[in-house]
Amino acid sequence: DAGVIQSPRHEVTEMGQEVTLRCKPISGHDYLFWYRQTMMRGLELLIYFNNNVPIDDSGMPEDRFSAKMPNASLSTLKIQPSEPRDSAVYFCASSSQGAQPQHFGDGTRLSIL
Amino acid sequence: EDQVTQSPEALRLQEGESSSLNCSYTVSGLRGLFWYRQDPGKGPEFLFTLYSAGEEKEKERLKATLTKKESFLHITAPKPEDSATYLCAVQNYSGYALNFGKGTSLLVTP
């Protein structure tokens, strides 16, 4: 069975550029989560969706970050404009129900120069 | 605010040397406590969910236990392939986000 698929795996770009990360959840999973992992802060929730609707975006750092889920097979996380402090590994996870285990993709390693 | 503290930060074991990892938590209504394993360059891989104090779950050399304040991940006779970072996370009744600890980095040497 295909797991959660994230693209790109690595992204290096210059400060001020727009960055778009993509996630394809496991088929049939109704919940999709975006997390960010840094050495200093560990894994932190950014936002999560239920049936393509954003439920909790309290972890989104600021207006430079936006996330969408146009359909059940795709979610995007956009950073515009990007800053060096956004450098981190961004993970997407999905679950069949909210209380069920979340299954993670292998992440996007983002470096903003 | 929910808090999750894992100890030790790093642990080095000889192959076959059993030990335990600790996850202390404070949460406003525990829905579930989750253990994950993370290998370098990979996403967290789900291991266990525990829902109530006294519950235990086992998988191969791993056993997870839960009390009202902490959870332990016991590793019996570890092998080098058990080397990874082990993450603990809590989920409360106000939503479905996971609140993670910083993890324990485990190295098992032959």
Side-chain angles (χ1 to χ4, degrees):
Chain A
D1 289 344
V4 174
I5 299 172
Q6 293 187 245
S7 64
R9 289 297 316 278
H10 303 275
E11 176 87 22
V12 180
T13 191
E14 292 190 348
M15 182 174 65
Q17 297 297 306
E18 178 179 294
V19 174
T20 300
L21 311 182
R22 291 177 173 77
C23 173
K24 178 179 169 59
I26 294 171
S27 177
H29 281 193
D30 292 336
Y31 284 82
L32 184 138
F33 303 80
W34 283 100
Y35 292 88
R36 178 169 69 175
Q37 187 174 41
T38 61
M39 289 294 291
M40 286 292 293
R41 301 176 67 88
L43 262 168
E44 297 179 299
L45 178 83
L46 297 174
I47 185 171
Y48 75 88
F49 296 82
N50 177 28
N51 290 324
N52 311 339
V53 176
I55 302 300
D56 181 357
D57 66 354
S58 59
M60 295 286 266
E62 49 198 271
D63 291 346
R64 297 185 298 108
F65 285 67
S66 62
K68 296 181 180 180
M69 193 162 184
N71 59 64
S73 300
L74 174 68
S75 178
T76 61
L77 178 66
K78 185 177 294 186
I79 308 173
Q80 166 65 14
S82 57
E83 296 183 3
R85 60 190 167 122
D86 302 329
S87 298
V89 182
Y90 290 79
F91 287 102
C92 175
S94 69
S95 64
S96 57
Q97 297 176 33
Q100 292 299 306
Q102 296 173 22
H103 298 275
F104 285 74
D106 282 338
T108 295
R109 183 172 294 275
L110 178 64
S111 297
I112 308 297
L113 306 177
Chain B
E1 185 179 323
D2 299 348
Q3 285 200 322
V4 180
T5 303
Q6 292 188 245
S7 61
E9 289 186 15
L11 181 62
R12 183 180 180 127
L13 299 173
Q14 292 267 28
E15 185 172 2
E17 180 187 2
S18 301
S19 188
S20 297
L21 313 183
N22 177 263
C23 172
S24 297
Y25 65 91
T26 55
V27 63
S28 55
L30 180 69
R31 188 196 298 274
L33 185 141
F34 297 77
W35 281 99
Y36 285 83
R37 167 192 172 127
Q38 187 174 24
D39 292 297
K42 298 287 189 178
E45 176 188 348
F46 171 71
L47 294 173
F48 304 108
T49 310
L50 301 167
Y51 295 103
S52 58
E55 190 174 1
E56 299 182 352
K57 288 198 176 167
E58 283 188 72
K59 179 181 179 180
E60 296 180 355
R61 296 176 292 282
L62 300 178
K63 178 179 170 181
T65 61
L66 181 66
T67 73
K68 288 187 178 180
K69 294 184 179 180
E70 57 192 351
S71 177
F72 290 93
L73 185 65
H74 307 278
I75 304 177
T76 302
K79 298 182 178 182
E81 52 261 43
D82 295 322
S83 298
T85 295
Y86 291 85
L87 297 165
C88 168
V90 297
Q91 188 181 62
N92 65 39
Y93 279 108
S94 67
Y96 296 112
L98 292 179
N99 187 353
F100 283 88
K102 295 277 183 70
T104 293
S105 177
L106 173 66
L107 176 65
V108 182
T109 57

